[in-house]
Amino acid sequence: MQHIENLLKQTDLVNKYGIGNAHLLWSMGLYLDESDFDKLASDGLTDGGNDKKK
């Protein structure tokens, strides 16, 4: 699967957010045409119901 191979080339993203969140961010970024993954992560990723933006 070529898309997984391309994702795994994004080593900074995978190391920073983990493979699951990196896959989500990368997919969302491609769909939304957003290249700032840190902004996308801060706006869209949460780990629980009471997460706060940092």
Side-chain angles (χ1 to χ4, degrees):
M1 294 199 264
Q2 189 174 5
H3 70 281
I4 298 294
E5 292 172 11
N6 289 336
L7 169 66
L8 294 176
K9 292 177 185 175
Q10 307 295 320
T11 56
D12 291 340
L13 190 64
V14 172
N15 290 336
K16 188 170 186 178
Y17 296 107
I19 189 68
N21 285 336
H23 192 202
L24 177 64
L25 284 171
W26 189 65
S27 300
M28 286 174 51
L30 290 174
Y31 181 78
L32 298 171
D33 196 27
E34 174 65 60
S35 60
D36 187 351
F37 295 114
D38 290 324
K39 179 183 180 312
L40 195 58
S42 71
D43 290 345
L45 289 182
T46 61
D47 289 327
N50 62 349
D51 278 0
K52 306 284 189 276
K53 276 189 172 180
K54 295 179 182 177

